[in-house]
Amino acid sequence: TFCESMDSDQLQPLLEPLMCRLVPLLDHRLLGIREMAAAAVGSAAVAASDKFGPYLEGTAPRLAAMVELGEERAWELRGRSLEALGHVALAVGNGKFAPYRDTALRAAAANLELDSTELAEYSYGFFANCAKVMRSDFGPLLP
């Protein structure tokens, strides 16, 4: 989370080496490592803002796959990945995030059906970020 206190210009020279180290960690065999990597990717997206675009393809598909993990022992990773996707959406905008939006929205809705207040909190945060990114396009998605 060190990069959340930086603006995008301060982070710019560090972003490439940081992401080169984080992206492989999203595929690590240990859930805890993947959780921390997902959280760090989300932080980097927040700090990098519109400069995060080049890292979308390396991160979003991995994060989108993790929001669908069903095992209870992976729920924290599922939530962190959803949170990170919300931050990525804010960074890259509605158009670029569109290929990942439906998967993430389905996972966020499914989280509300599970017996986990933590997953529900991650889902509400994701919905808030989607609403910011999608603006009036978010309304029709509401029940």
Side-chain angles (χ1 to χ4, degrees):
T1 61
F2 78 94
C3 58
E4 286 182 349
S5 63
M6 302 173 130
D7 65 33
S8 62
D9 292 331
Q10 291 173 311
L11 183 60
Q12 183 62 38
L14 306 173
L15 193 56
E16 176 70 25
L18 177 64
M19 296 308 295
C20 284
R21 286 167 179 77
L22 287 177
V23 169
L25 294 177
L26 292 171
D27 297 322
H28 200 278
R29 66 179 182 80
L30 297 176
L31 294 177
I33 300 292
R34 285 190 278 167
E35 283 174 31
M36 292 303 127
V41 166
S43 294
V46 168
S49 191
D50 60 345
K51 294 178 175 73
F52 192 80
Y55 308 101
L56 177 67
E57 294 303 317
T59 58
R62 289 170 169 87
L63 294 168
M66 291 188 286
V67 301
E68 297 182 304
L69 295 173
E71 298 175 34
E72 189 171 344
R73 67 184 190 92
W75 283 3
E76 183 65 24
L77 174 57
R78 179 180 172 136
R80 290 268 182 206
S81 299
L82 186 63
E83 178 181 53
L85 277 173
H87 295 317
V88 168
L90 288 173
V92 302
N94 192 31
K96 290 181 181 175
F97 187 70
Y100 312 101
R101 184 178 50 237
D102 289 345
T103 297
L105 284 168
R106 276 193 308 274
N111 287 348
L112 300 178
E113 303 297 321
L114 299 172
D115 186 25
S116 171
T117 55
E118 292 85 6
L119 283 178
E121 288 178 27
Y122 285 122
S123 291
Y124 294 135
F126 179 78
F127 291 140
N129 286 334
C130 268
K132 288 177 192 173
V133 170
M134 295 176 69
R135 300 180 187 257
S136 61
D137 293 336
F138 188 72
L141 299 175
L142 299 173

